[in-house]
Amino acid sequence: MASSNSYVCDTLPVPRLATGDSPMLDHDEESDSEVNVEDHDHSAQETESGSPPPSQQPPARKMADEGTNLKLQQSLDALPVEEREAVNAIWSNFSSSSHPRRALILQGLLTMCCFSQLSLLTEQLAHLIRIDPFSVLPREVSLKVLGYLDATSLCRAAQVSRRWRTLADDDILWRGICEQHIGQKCRKCGWALPVLEKKRTFVKAVSPSPAPSNGKRKRADDSSPERDSNKRNRISEDGNASDSSDCSPQVQSACSILVDPGATTQVTRPWKDVYSERMTIEQNWRRGRCLVRTLKGHTDGVMCLQFTETLTHPTFPVLITGSYDRTARVWNLETGAELHCLKGHTRGVRALQFDNVKLITGSMDSTLKVWDWRRGKLIRTLTGHSAGVVCLNFDTNVLASGSVDSTIKVWNLRTGGAFTLRGHSDWVNTVQLWDGQNATTLPSSSAPRAQEMFDAPGCEAPQIDVGKMLFSGSDDGSIRLWDLTSRTCVRMFTGHVAQVQSLKLLLEDECKPDGEDGKKKPVLISGSLDNTIKQWDIETGKTVRTYFGHIEGVWGVASDKMRLVSGSHDRTIKVWSREDGSCTATLIGHTAAVSCLALGEDKIVSGGDDNEIKVWSFSG
């Protein structure tokens, strides 16, 4: 049967009968000897046909595992000697046959097999014909194939074998998965994971200044005798701050920690670990699982707070809180240690905001103070309001403050000038600056500038950049949008039936149907004492969604791209899904009204009338 078309198959080695004189060869030795014999028998034929010798052909040997060979040997040992020799003869003849002869023998054997034997063949072939694709494919092709799997499938693939684990854990694959999910909603699974700026391998030079949380109820000594019944009465604040609000004794060491730069090391982690960490946090958010820490130090209700985790220095997250005990306190959010106690206001601190270099506080003593929060020193005091300052917000050039006197004062930080906006008929509880120069559908006002709007007669008000806008919420139940260039109200948002206590402006990327990036569409969120939270379309002034769930008034709201949180007079914090408006978690822990809160990617920080600050950590 020898011909130029003969082919040597690399198959199972021929089982040999083990005797005392001729011990059974090792599988590898048998295989090598068999190949050598076949190489000698067929070398001339394969040379004539032009095919390479078997030693140069790709390895396609399907070796049986040791357990299979052991079973075959045990079966042979159980047979009589004559039958053993007959079986060995059949195996030897088949092994020495050419490929066409083997095919002929197998076809003949199949015609002689009964149903049970065919069933046995089917069961055995199901295991024998399987092949590991990643053992024969190039690494690049294997990674391309695995690139179509999701995170769960990749984790399962990593459990198959060591080789599969090496491929499934490749950084390129997990980087692609992270890019699909982190900071944005995945189009395939619908999940979005937090960015966690503090966990990244680089640190930004300048940290953003998030909007402050400053919705808080009024007190009897801060308002006129006939205030609304929703405004709770509190004890008088006459006199100096109590001794219990003194600063912690570690002021000098804290100052050095905040001011002196330190060396930072950057560590690069595997992308799979990055994904796993963020997935754990997102799952905790959705299930409402968190660890709670309590920071104590204030001796009266906490009115306002802000924290940041992205400062170049210090490397730890910084929290600053303001209270009715007339102090603002600087905390190490990581350890809970108090670093500074800023005293100078003569009445309660109602609003604050800080950035990389300065802190500005607003108080019921009608003043705003500018601090060097790193050193704990007062820089400047701003006066102008005729009653207490309830809220403030600033950016790089402009500072806006709202007051009990129903006015909004706008300060130009570059020139020091200021002007006043009038229009609300009651306390201005919250203000929010917005750079609306890209908004094309907002109405503009060409009305002449009224002289009474300026602080000093005959003095021109400070120049404000074109497009600078301001949102304000008031006890009169309205939200107003102001054009600071023309200094007029260009739009009113009506819908709340009680006092508006807090506003949050969020800029979202609005994608076009073809997937290209569109303009940023602003979203305004408001919290009110009518127990609701409303989401507004700024371009139309209409309510997009109303969140129901609190049983008492909402004092503070905060939001990011994925979720919204609210603090209420009912002593609870609720976490809402911005996608469908449902409440995903209710956090209970405060023993009095939750007056202010701030939202991070893996935590919520809240302050309440119980004089406590609580840190709700979802990082596990």
Side-chain angles (χ1 to χ4, degrees):
M1 293 292 295
S3 66
S4 60
N5 294 328
S6 62
Y7 178 82
V8 178
C9 293
D10 294 329
T11 58
L12 298 175
V14 179
R16 301 300 179 92
L17 179 62
T19 60
D21 298 334
S22 59
M24 185 176 66
L25 295 176
D26 184 74
H27 304 312
D28 294 336
E29 295 177 357
E30 291 180 347
S31 176
D32 294 340
S33 61
E34 180 185 9
V35 172
N36 291 336
V37 172
E38 292 179 346
D39 290 349
H40 177 73
D41 293 340
H42 300 280
S43 59
Q45 300 172 6
E46 291 172 347
T47 302
E48 293 176 357
S49 61
S51 61
S55 60
Q56 298 180 8
Q57 292 184 0
R61 187 187 307 275
K62 295 178 174 55
M63 298 295 295
D65 56 12
E66 295 181 358
T68 302
N69 284 335
L70 181 60
K71 290 180 181 179
L72 289 175
Q73 185 62 44
Q74 291 174 350
S75 299
L76 281 177
D77 293 340
L79 297 176
V81 177
E82 295 79 4
E83 293 186 13
R84 295 185 203 174
E85 293 177 350
V87 172
N88 274 326
I90 295 173
W91 286 347
S92 298
N93 291 333
F94 184 83
S95 177
S96 61
S97 300
S98 61
H99 182 74
R101 184 183 298 174
R102 289 187 181 191
L104 182 60
I105 294 175
L106 289 175
Q107 291 176 358
L109 290 176
L110 288 176
T111 59
M112 292 182 281
C113 290
C114 64
F115 182 81
S116 61
Q117 294 166 348
L118 292 175
S119 178
L120 175 63
L121 285 175
T122 303
E123 180 182 352
Q124 296 295 322
L125 288 175
H127 298 282
L128 293 176
I129 64 175
R130 289 191 302 181
I131 185 173
D132 181 0
F134 298 145
S135 64
V136 295
L137 294 176
R139 179 179 178 83
E140 293 78 8
V141 178
S142 301
L143 293 178
K144 183 67 175 179
V145 173
L146 292 174
Y148 290 97
L149 301 182
D150 57 15
T152 303
S153 301
L154 278 180
C155 290
R156 292 173 179 170
Q159 300 174 359
V160 174
S161 65
R162 293 182 179 179
R163 178 174 179 82
W164 280 52
R165 182 182 184 87
T166 302
L167 293 171
D169 289 349
D170 190 271
D171 244 17
I172 298 177
L173 297 177
W174 286 100
R175 178 177 179 179
I177 293 179
C178 287
E179 290 176 349
Q180 291 178 3
H181 294 83
I182 294 179
Q184 61 183 348
K185 181 179 177 181
C186 178
R187 298 182 179 179
K188 296 180 180 179
C189 66
W191 280 62
L193 304 183
V195 179
L196 295 185
E197 287 289 344
K198 67 173 183 177
K199 299 284 187 179
R200 301 176 71 176
T201 57
F202 67 93
V203 181
K204 293 183 177 179
V206 180
S207 64
S209 299
S213 302
N214 45 25
K216 189 67 171 75
R217 42 233 144 276
K218 290 75 181 176
R219 299 159 52 142
D221 57 323
D222 296 337
S223 60
S224 60
E226 300 180 359
R227 294 304 301 170
D228 190 272
S229 60
N230 281 327
K231 314 248 189 324
R232 295 179 295 131
N233 296 332
R234 305 180 57 142
I235 60 174
S236 176
E237 297 184 74
D238 296 339
N240 296 328
S242 60
D243 295 337
S244 59
S245 63
D246 289 341
C247 306
S248 59
Q250 299 86 3
V251 173
Q252 294 296 330
S253 59
C255 183
S256 61
I257 292 174
L258 293 173
V259 175
D260 294 339
T264 59
T265 57
Q266 297 182 354
V267 180
T268 301
R269 299 184 300 153
W271 282 102
K272 185 177 182 180
D273 292 349
V274 173
Y275 179 88
S276 176
E277 177 185 45
R278 286 154 175 78
M279 176 57 74
T280 300
I281 293 174
E282 181 63 21
Q283 289 176 340
N284 290 340
W285 273 112
R286 297 193 175 203
R287 297 169 183 173
R289 297 185 303 193
C290 61
L291 300 176
V292 185
R293 290 187 297 133
T294 302
L295 307 182
K296 296 184 178 181
H298 286 294
T299 58
D300 207 338
V302 180
M303 318 296 292
C304 50
L305 60 84
Q306 180 193 334
F307 76 93
T308 181
E309 299 177 288
T310 56
L311 292 175
T312 306
H313 182 79
T315 56
F316 54 82
V318 174
L319 166 70
I320 302 182
T321 57
S323 168
Y324 260 127
D325 62 12
R326 308 174 181 90
T327 66
R329 298 176 188 258
V330 183
W331 309 79
N332 181 338
L333 190 55
E334 194 172 76
T335 63
E338 182 182 320
L339 305 177
H340 286 305
C341 179
L342 310 179
K343 295 191 294 184
H345 285 293
T346 59
R347 301 185 72 179
V349 178
R350 287 294 307 267
L352 65 81
Q353 184 182 344
F354 74 95
D355 59 13
N356 195 39
V357 294
K358 64 181 178 295
L359 162 71
I360 301 180
T361 56
S363 169
M364 296 305 297
D365 60 12
S366 308
T367 66
L368 295 96
K369 292 184 181 294
V370 184
W371 309 79
D372 179 352
W373 61 267
R374 295 178 182 271
R375 295 177 172 84
K377 296 181 179 180
L378 177 64
I379 300 175
R380 184 182 178 185
T381 300
L382 303 177
T383 60
H385 284 290
S386 59
V389 178
V390 183
C391 57
L392 64 88
N393 184 224
F394 70 84
D395 57 16
T396 56
N397 300 321
V398 178
L399 164 67
S401 58
S403 171
V404 177
D405 60 16
S406 307
T407 66
I408 303 168
K409 192 168 288 294
V410 180
W411 316 74
N412 191 319
L413 299 180
R414 292 175 295 187
T415 64
F419 63 90
T420 304
L421 301 176
R422 295 180 174 88
H424 286 293
S425 59
D426 211 333
W427 290 27
V428 180
N429 297 317
T430 176
V431 290
Q432 179 71 61
L433 291 167
W434 175 43
D435 187 4
Q437 60 183 354
N438 295 327
T440 58
T441 61
L442 292 177
S444 59
S445 175
S446 58
R449 299 175 180 176
Q451 186 64 40
E452 62 270 19
M453 297 179 67
F454 306 145
D455 292 343
C459 178
E460 184 66 17
Q463 182 63 39
I464 301 296
D465 293 339
V466 176
K468 187 71 68 176
M469 314 291 282
L470 175 72
F471 293 94
S472 62
S474 170
D475 272 359
D476 60 17
S478 69
I479 301 171
R480 290 175 179 259
L481 176 60
W482 305 82
D483 185 343
L484 297 186
T485 304
S486 63
R487 304 172 184 92
T488 56
C489 177
V490 297
R491 176 162 293 162
M492 288 186 62
F493 300 80
T494 57
H496 284 296
V497 295
Q499 300 91 327
V500 178
Q501 291 296 320
S502 58
L503 295 174
K504 173 63 179 179
L505 181 65
L506 183 68
L507 296 178
E508 276 189 327
D509 289 333
E510 182 184 16
C511 297
K512 297 180 180 180
D514 58 0
E516 298 179 1
D517 291 336
K519 66 177 182 178
K520 288 187 175 182
K521 181 181 180 181
V523 174
L524 182 67
I525 299 172
S526 62
S528 170
L529 294 186
D530 60 8
N531 307 352
T532 67
I533 305 156
K534 289 185 180 292
Q535 180 175 324
W536 306 84
D537 185 335
I538 296 177
E539 295 182 351
T540 63
K542 297 181 180 179
T543 303
V544 177
R545 174 177 288 133
T546 300
Y547 300 81
F548 297 95
H550 285 293
I551 59 176
E552 293 190 61
V554 178
W555 294 109
V557 294
S559 179
D560 58 18
K561 290 185 178 181
M562 291 182 283
R563 60 188 53 86
L564 182 150
V565 297
S566 58
S568 170
H569 193 82
D570 60 15
R571 299 176 293 181
T572 66
I573 298 172
K574 288 187 179 291
V575 183
W576 309 81
S577 169
R578 290 206 42 228
E579 184 175 354
D580 57 10
S582 62
C583 178
T584 61
T586 299
L587 308 180
I588 302 175
H590 282 285
T591 58
V594 180
S595 55
C596 55
L597 51 75
L599 173 64
E601 292 179 313
D602 61 346
K603 65 174 62 70
I604 299 172
V605 182
S606 61
D609 279 354
D610 52 9
N611 310 346
E612 293 182 348
I613 304 158
K614 291 190 179 293
V615 182
W616 315 76
S617 176
F618 294 84
S619 58

